[in-house]
Amino acid sequence: QLQLVESGGGSVQRGGSLTLSCVASGFSLGSYGIGWFRQAAGKEREGVSFISSMSDNIHYTEPVKGRFTISRDNANNTVYLQMNNLKPEDTALYSCAAAKQYGNTWTSPFWYDAWGQGTQVTVSS
């Protein structure tokens, strides 16, 4: 019943910005921590950012620190990923995932109970 749908992907030039949205249905998003992950062609999935249910625990992986900002609007069942100063190496399929319980190793996919299908982000040189 838990479902997540991402949107906001697209094609931009280096230095551009995009805002991704992750909308939940079938459950209250406010009860879950949300992680953003990405997978580039020919690469393994990697963690991007995480926000806890009450926004008291936020993480970013080193490649996106200072450029990406995660936020959430629990009343509207939505989590956002604001991406600024995009680089070609950010090109990937971006997916959000919901975790009822989680720990310090938030990048582990095994914490997550539901995944979205993803939205494609392409950054040109």
Side-chain angles (χ1 to χ4, degrees), residues 35-98:
W36 281 99
F37 295 79
R38 66 187 183 185
Q39 186 169 20
K43 303 290 186 179
E44 295 185 349
R45 179 183 294 163
E46 62 178 357
V48 177
S49 184
F50 176 86
I51 185 167
S52 62
S53 60
M54 298 181 66
S55 301
D56 58 338
N57 190 15
I58 293 175
H59 297 284
Y60 303 93
T61 50
E62 189 64 30
V64 308
K65 285 183 178 178
R67 299 187 298 119
F68 291 11
T69 302
I70 191 170
S71 62
R72 64 190 303 156
D73 183 353
N74 289 341
N76 289 297
N77 244 22
T78 304
V79 169
Y80 302 96
L81 185 67
Q82 175 68 48
M83 305 184 296
N84 297 323
N85 192 24
L86 284 162
K87 304 175 180 180
E89 51 263 45
D90 295 319
T91 295
L93 182 71
Y94 284 73
S95 302
C96 62

Side-chain angles (χ1 to χ4, degrees), residues 1-7 21-25 27 29 33-39 45 93-99 109 112-120:
Q1 188 176 4
L2 279 62
Q3 187 175 6
L4 298 168
V5 178
E6 304 93 340
S7 63
S21 298
C22 174
V23 180
S25 62
F27 65 102
L29 192 65
I34 301 297
W36 281 99
F37 295 79
R38 66 187 183 185
Q39 186 169 20
R45 179 183 294 163
L93 182 71
Y94 284 73
S95 302
C96 62
Y112 297 92
D113 304 297
W115 291 79
Q117 293 291 330
T119 184
Q120 180 67 37

